[in-house]
Protein backbone atom coordinates (compact mmCIF):
# COMPACT_ATOMS: atom_id res chain seq x y z
CA UNK A 1 0.00 0.00 0.00
CA UNK A 2 1.10 3.55 -0.65
CA UNK A 3 -0.28 6.59 1.14
CA UNK A 4 0.47 10.12 -0.09
CA UNK A 5 -0.36 12.86 2.39
CA UNK A 6 -0.67 16.46 1.21
CA UNK A 7 -0.18 19.12 3.89
CA UNK A 8 1.11 22.60 4.64
CA UNK A 9 2.65 21.29 7.88
CA UNK A 10 4.76 18.25 6.93
CA UNK A 11 6.66 18.45 10.25
CA UNK A 12 3.45 17.50 12.09
CA UNK A 13 3.50 14.15 10.28
CA UNK A 14 7.08 13.15 11.00
CA UNK A 15 6.84 11.47 14.40
CA UNK A 16 3.74 9.28 13.88
CA UNK A 17 5.58 7.28 11.21
CA UNK A 18 8.84 7.23 13.12
CA UNK A 19 7.91 5.08 16.09
CA UNK A 20 6.64 1.67 17.03
CA UNK A 21 4.25 -0.24 14.77
CA UNK A 22 3.97 2.29 11.94
CA UNK A 23 7.74 2.66 11.73
CA UNK A 24 8.15 -1.11 11.53
CA UNK A 25 5.48 -1.35 8.83
CA UNK A 26 7.35 1.24 6.76
CA UNK A 27 10.70 -0.45 7.35
CA UNK A 28 9.30 -3.85 6.38
CA UNK A 29 8.07 -2.30 3.12
CA UNK A 30 4.43 -3.13 3.92
CA UNK A 31 3.43 0.49 3.39
CA UNK A 32 5.05 3.49 1.78
CA UNK A 33 4.07 6.86 3.22
CA UNK A 34 5.04 10.01 1.35
CA UNK A 35 4.34 13.42 2.80
CA UNK A 36 4.08 16.29 0.29
CA UNK A 37 4.49 19.91 1.25
CA UNK A 38 1.77 21.82 -0.58
CA UNK A 39 4.09 24.83 -0.78
CA UNK A 40 6.26 22.88 -3.23
CA UNK A 41 3.39 23.07 -5.73
CA UNK A 42 2.99 26.82 -6.01
CA UNK A 43 4.72 29.21 -8.39
CA UNK A 44 4.01 32.04 -5.97
CA UNK A 45 7.29 33.64 -4.93
CA UNK A 46 6.20 33.76 -1.30
CA UNK A 47 5.06 30.10 -1.44
CA UNK A 48 1.58 31.28 -0.55
CA UNK A 49 -1.00 28.50 -0.83
CA UNK A 50 -3.96 30.19 0.86
CA UNK A 51 -5.97 33.33 0.31
CA UNK A 52 -8.90 35.37 1.65
CA UNK A 53 -12.35 34.05 0.96
CA UNK A 54 -14.56 35.61 -1.68
CA UNK A 55 -17.53 37.36 -0.14
CA UNK A 56 -15.60 38.26 3.00
CA UNK A 57 -15.28 36.45 6.28
CA UNK A 58 -12.55 35.50 8.69
CA UNK A 59 -9.99 32.83 7.92
CA UNK A 60 -7.81 31.85 5.02
CA UNK A 61 -8.75 29.21 2.48
CA UNK A 62 -6.38 26.79 0.75
CA UNK A 63 -6.31 27.53 -2.98
CA UNK A 64 -7.23 24.96 -5.61
CA UNK A 65 -4.21 25.42 -7.90
CA UNK A 66 -1.40 23.93 -5.76
CA UNK A 67 -3.70 21.12 -4.59
CA UNK A 68 -4.68 20.32 -8.18
CA UNK A 69 -1.04 20.39 -9.28
CA UNK A 70 0.02 18.02 -6.50
CA UNK A 71 -2.87 15.58 -7.01
CA UNK A 72 -2.43 15.65 -10.82
CA UNK A 73 1.26 14.84 -10.49
CA UNK A 74 0.52 11.91 -8.18
CA UNK A 75 -2.31 10.62 -10.38
CA UNK A 76 0.05 10.78 -13.35
CA UNK A 77 2.37 8.35 -11.58
CA UNK A 78 -0.15 5.73 -10.36
CA UNK A 79 -3.86 5.27 -9.87
CA UNK A 80 -5.52 5.87 -6.50
CA UNK A 81 -8.43 4.08 -4.85
CA UNK A 82 -9.51 7.15 -2.90
CA UNK A 83 -8.57 10.81 -2.59
CA UNK A 84 -9.54 11.60 0.96
CA UNK A 85 -10.06 15.05 2.50
CA UNK A 86 -9.78 15.24 6.29
CA UNK A 87 -12.55 17.51 7.58
CA UNK A 88 -14.96 17.68 10.51
CA UNK A 89 -17.77 17.67 7.88
CA UNK A 90 -16.82 14.17 6.75
CA UNK A 91 -18.18 10.74 7.62
CA UNK A 92 -16.96 9.78 11.09
CA UNK A 93 -14.14 7.26 11.00
CA UNK A 94 -15.00 3.85 12.41
CA UNK A 95 -13.47 0.37 12.37
CA UNK A 96 -15.53 -0.72 9.37
CA UNK A 97 -14.15 2.17 7.30
CA UNK A 98 -10.60 1.41 8.46
CA UNK A 99 -11.05 -2.26 7.49
CA UNK A 100 -12.34 -1.28 4.07
CA UNK A 101 -9.61 1.32 3.41
CA UNK A 102 -6.92 -1.16 4.50
CA UNK A 103 -7.77 -3.16 1.40
CA UNK A 104 -6.83 -0.25 -0.89
CA UNK A 105 -3.74 -0.13 -3.04
CA UNK A 106 -2.98 3.60 -3.04
CA UNK A 107 -4.53 6.47 -1.14
CA UNK A 108 -4.12 10.23 -1.17
CA UNK A 109 -4.99 12.12 2.02
CA UNK A 110 -5.40 15.88 1.82
CA UNK A 111 -5.13 17.79 5.11
CA UNK A 112 -7.19 20.93 5.38
CA UNK A 113 -6.01 24.00 7.25
CA UNK A 114 -7.17 27.44 8.26
CA UNK A 115 -10.77 27.83 7.17
CA UNK A 116 -10.61 24.79 4.90
CA UNK A 117 -10.11 24.35 1.17
CA UNK A 118 -11.75 25.98 -1.83
CA UNK A 119 -15.04 24.11 -2.31
CA UNK A 120 -14.04 23.31 -5.92
CA UNK A 121 -11.34 20.99 -4.57
CA UNK A 122 -13.99 19.03 -2.70
CA UNK A 123 -16.38 19.04 -5.65
CA UNK A 124 -13.94 17.96 -8.33
CA UNK A 125 -10.86 16.29 -6.83
CA UNK A 126 -11.92 14.54 -3.63
CA UNK A 127 -13.61 11.12 -3.61
CA UNK A 128 -14.21 10.79 0.11
CA UNK A 129 -14.38 13.06 3.19
CA UNK A 130 -13.48 11.70 6.60
CA UNK A 131 -13.72 13.17 10.10
CA UNK A 132 -12.11 11.62 13.17
CA UNK A 133 -14.84 12.92 15.47
CA UNK A 134 -17.25 15.72 16.24
CA UNK A 135 -14.73 18.34 17.29
CA UNK A 136 -12.62 20.79 15.31
CA UNK A 137 -8.85 20.38 15.04
CA UNK A 138 -6.48 23.10 13.83
CA UNK A 139 -5.87 21.08 10.69
CA UNK A 140 -6.28 17.68 9.13
CA UNK A 141 -2.76 16.41 9.96
CA UNK A 142 -3.54 14.77 13.29
CA UNK A 143 -6.68 13.27 11.78
CA UNK A 144 -4.62 11.93 8.87
CA UNK A 145 -2.17 10.36 11.34
CA UNK A 146 -5.07 8.70 13.19
CA UNK A 147 -6.54 7.44 9.93
CA UNK A 148 -3.18 6.07 8.76
CA UNK A 149 -2.59 4.31 12.07
CA UNK A 150 -6.05 2.69 11.99
CA UNK A 151 -5.43 1.49 8.41
CA UNK A 152 -1.77 0.47 8.53
CA UNK A 153 -2.03 -1.75 11.62
CA UNK A 154 -4.56 -3.86 9.69
CA UNK A 155 -2.22 -4.59 6.77
CA UNK A 156 -1.14 -8.23 6.61
CA UNK A 157 2.23 -8.68 8.31
CA UNK A 158 2.16 -5.44 10.32
CA UNK A 159 0.95 -6.97 13.59
CA UNK A 160 2.20 -10.30 14.86
CA UNK A 161 0.04 -12.96 16.55
CA UNK A 162 0.39 -11.31 19.92
CA UNK A 163 -0.98 -8.00 18.74
CA UNK A 164 -3.39 -9.44 16.20
CA UNK A 165 -6.07 -7.00 15.09
CA UNK A 166 -8.64 -9.81 15.17
CA UNK A 167 -9.02 -9.45 18.95
CA UNK A 168 -9.30 -5.67 18.89
CA UNK A 169 -12.13 -3.75 20.39
CA UNK A 170 -14.73 -3.04 17.63
CA UNK A 171 -13.88 -6.07 15.51
CA UNK A 172 -17.24 -7.98 15.68
CA UNK A 173 -18.82 -4.82 17.11
CA UNK A 174 -17.67 -5.77 20.60
CA UNK A 175 -15.34 -4.07 23.03
CA UNK A 176 -12.27 -6.12 23.95
CA UNK A 177 -12.35 -8.12 27.22
CA UNK A 178 -10.21 -6.94 30.18
CA UNK A 179 -6.57 -8.03 30.29
CA UNK A 180 -4.20 -8.56 33.23
CA UNK A 181 -0.49 -9.17 33.76
CA UNK A 182 1.84 -9.85 36.70
CA UNK A 183 1.64 -9.63 39.66
CA UNK A 184 -1.29 -11.95 40.45
CA UNK A 185 -2.20 -9.71 43.35
CA UNK A 186 -1.41 -6.02 43.90
CA UNK A 187 -2.51 -4.21 47.07
CA UNK A 188 -5.34 -6.73 47.45
CA UNK A 189 -6.45 -6.39 43.81
CA UNK A 190 -6.58 -9.87 42.31
CA UNK A 191 -6.45 -11.23 38.78
CA UNK A 192 -9.65 -13.25 38.06
CA UNK A 193 -9.02 -16.85 39.08
CA UNK A 194 -10.17 -18.26 35.71
CA UNK A 195 -7.19 -16.69 33.90
CA UNK A 196 -4.65 -18.40 36.16
CA UNK A 197 -5.67 -22.04 35.69
CA UNK A 198 -4.73 -22.66 32.04
CA UNK A 199 -8.20 -23.99 31.08
CA UNK A 200 -8.13 -22.44 27.59
CA UNK A 201 -11.69 -23.27 26.42
CA UNK A 202 -13.15 -21.81 29.62
CA UNK A 203 -10.84 -18.77 29.42
CA UNK A 204 -12.07 -18.14 25.88
CA UNK A 205 -15.70 -18.46 27.05
CA UNK A 206 -15.03 -16.06 29.93
CA UNK A 207 -13.44 -13.55 27.52
CA UNK A 208 -16.46 -13.68 25.21
CA UNK A 209 -18.83 -13.12 28.15
CA UNK A 210 -16.71 -10.24 29.41
CA UNK A 211 -16.60 -8.65 25.95
CA UNK A 212 -20.37 -8.88 25.71
CA UNK A 213 -21.10 -7.55 29.21
CA UNK A 214 -18.57 -4.74 28.81
CA UNK A 215 -20.16 -3.74 25.50
CA UNK A 216 -23.66 -3.86 27.05
CA UNK A 217 -22.52 -1.62 29.87
CA UNK A 218 -20.23 0.86 28.07
CA UNK A 219 -21.40 0.92 24.44
CA UNK A 220 -24.90 -0.59 24.12
CA UNK A 221 -25.24 1.25 20.78
CA UNK A 222 -22.77 -1.23 19.23
CA UNK A 223 -25.17 -4.10 19.86
CA UNK A 224 -28.18 -2.48 18.22
N1 LIG B 1 -9.81 18.81 10.52
C1 LIG B 1 -10.30 19.59 11.48
N2 LIG B 1 -11.08 18.92 12.32
C2 LIG B 1 -11.09 17.63 11.89
C3 LIG B 1 -11.71 16.45 12.34
N3 LIG B 1 -12.51 16.43 13.41
N4 LIG B 1 -11.49 15.31 11.64
C4 LIG B 1 -10.71 15.34 10.55
N5 LIG B 1 -10.10 16.41 10.08
C5 LIG B 1 -10.28 17.56 10.74
Amino acid sequence: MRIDIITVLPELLESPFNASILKRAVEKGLVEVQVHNLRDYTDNRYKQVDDYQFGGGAGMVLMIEPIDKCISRLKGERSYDEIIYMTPDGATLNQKMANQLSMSGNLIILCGHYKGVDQRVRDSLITREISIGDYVLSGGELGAAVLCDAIIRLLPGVLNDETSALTDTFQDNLLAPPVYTRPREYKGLKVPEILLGGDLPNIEKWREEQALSRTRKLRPDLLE
Side-chain angles (χ1 to χ4, degrees):
M1 170 182 262
R2 177 179 164 123
I3 304 177
D4 290 277
I5 307 176
I6 306 170
T7 170
V8 288
L9 289 173
E11 60 273 26
L12 262 184
L13 286 160
E14 272 164 26
S15 62
F17 301 102
N18 253 316
S20 186
I21 289 171
L22 299 195
K23 181 179 184 190
R24 235 184 311 127
V26 171
E27 282 172 353
K28 281 196 199 164
L30 299 169
V31 63
E32 184 182 353
V33 180
Q34 294 292 340
V35 178
H36 305 273
N37 188 341
L38 193 58
R39 295 186 202 283
D40 293 339
Y41 293 84
T42 176
D43 297 328
N44 183 293
R45 56 198 273 234
Y46 303 108
K47 300 271 176 213
Q48 186 186 346
V49 290
D50 56 352
D51 212 332
Y52 296 102
Q53 44 180 316
F54 280 125
M60 303 293 271
V61 176
L62 290 177
M63 293 187 281
I64 187 168
E65 189 178 355
I67 296 172
D68 182 34
K69 275 190 179 154
C70 183
I71 291 177
S72 298
R73 206 204 88 197
L74 292 171
K75 279 167 84 178
E77 292 166 358
R78 68 196 64 75
S79 60
Y80 286 90
D81 298 282
E82 299 278 7
I83 302 176
I84 298 165
Y85 174 51
M86 300 308 301
T87 166
D89 309 354
T92 310
L93 179 63
N94 58 27
Q95 192 59 46
K96 196 169 154 218
M97 278 158 80
N99 291 348
Q100 192 220 340
L101 287 167
S102 74
M103 290 187 261
S104 312
N106 302 315
L107 297 171
I108 292 176
I109 303 177
L110 171 66
C111 305
H113 237 266
Y114 316 112
K115 206 69 195 164
V117 296
D118 188 307
Q119 182 60 35
R120 291 167 293 184
V121 170
R122 300 170 69 167
D123 294 342
S124 65
L125 299 173
I126 296 299
T127 63
R128 193 159 179 168
E129 299 191 331
I130 296 180
S131 161
I132 62 159
D134 286 343
Y135 40 82
V136 180
L137 302 167
S138 329
E141 287 75 13
L142 298 180
V146 167
L147 176 61
C148 286
D149 189 305
I151 292 172
I152 292 171
R153 62 191 296 285
L154 297 173
L155 299 179
V158 171
L159 299 183
N160 50 33
D161 274 356
E162 272 168 64
T163 48
S164 167
L166 292 175
T167 53
D168 282 348
T169 277
F170 293 128
Q171 296 292 0
D172 306 325
N173 270 356
L174 287 177
L175 302 184
V179 291
Y180 299 86
T181 186
R182 288 187 292 177
R184 285 171 174 234
E185 187 173 339
Y186 181 74
K187 293 186 177 172
L189 301 168
K190 291 185 178 145
V191 173
E193 205 54 44
I194 175 98
L195 297 175
L196 305 173
D199 177 353
L200 295 183
N202 264 328
I203 289 176
E204 203 37 53
K205 196 163 150 257
W206 179 86
R207 286 189 171 140
E208 281 165 21
E209 287 163 5
Q210 289 290 315
L212 193 59
S213 63
R214 196 179 246 200
T215 311
R216 264 201 209 106
K217 185 167 164 223
L218 301 176
R219 291 293 307 275
D221 55 298
L222 292 175
L223 298 170
E224 278 158 17

